[in-house]
Amino acid sequence: ARAHASNHEREERHSIYKAVLDRGTPEERRSTSERHFCSKCSAMLWLWDETYPELLHPFASAIDEPDLKVPDEMTVLMTGSAPSYVRLPEGKKETFKEYPEASLEEWHKEHDEYVA
């Protein structure tokens, strides 16, 4: 078996999902964000939102780098809309009820973890 797909195969597998918000109500609409994923295995790749076109939000599971260091602290987002049964991860963490002010890029630059 091959470890990596060709560019053509990757393009064929790349799919985009736009969530339906307020489904079944008069306010029903499509989200401005696009979730990019592999249509073959359903792996989430990245999220892009037309509201912030300069930003790209990769899913950690899609980063193919075996030498990433283990983080000292986790960042947990959107706890304000989490159902009561959702458990937060154990360990040191910083939580945000919504999104933090810093983008992923800004956070990495502030923590001397940015790689161009």
Side-chain angles (χ1 to χ4, degrees), residues 21-90:
L21 306 174
D22 299 316
R23 188 183 302 270
T25 73
E27 292 81 31
E28 181 175 309
R29 65 201 183 285
R30 289 280 177 179
S31 172
T32 58
S33 64
E34 297 178 350
R35 298 178 193 175
H36 294 250
F37 66 98
C38 174
S39 62
K40 183 172 182 176
C41 71
S42 300
M44 299 300 295
L45 302 171
W46 70 87
L47 181 128
W48 177 84
D49 193 309
E50 65 188 44
T51 309
Y52 308 99
E54 71 281 6
L55 301 176
L56 182 75
H57 306 281
F59 284 84
S61 59
I63 298 173
D64 188 15
E65 174 54 57
D67 296 325
L68 286 177
K69 73 176 198 173
V70 176
D72 297 326
E73 178 179 75
M74 290 176 271
T75 302
V76 183
L77 310 175
M78 305 299 288
T79 61
S81 60
S84 60
Y85 59 81
V86 172
R87 295 182 188 169
L88 297 182
E90 294 181 13

Side-chain angles (χ1 to χ4, degrees), residues 54-57 100-110:
E54 71 281 6
L55 301 176
L56 182 75
H57 306 281
E101 289 295 317
S103 69
L104 286 172
E105 180 178 329
E106 291 167 339
W107 184 94
H108 282 84
K109 287 178 176 178
E110 289 171 9

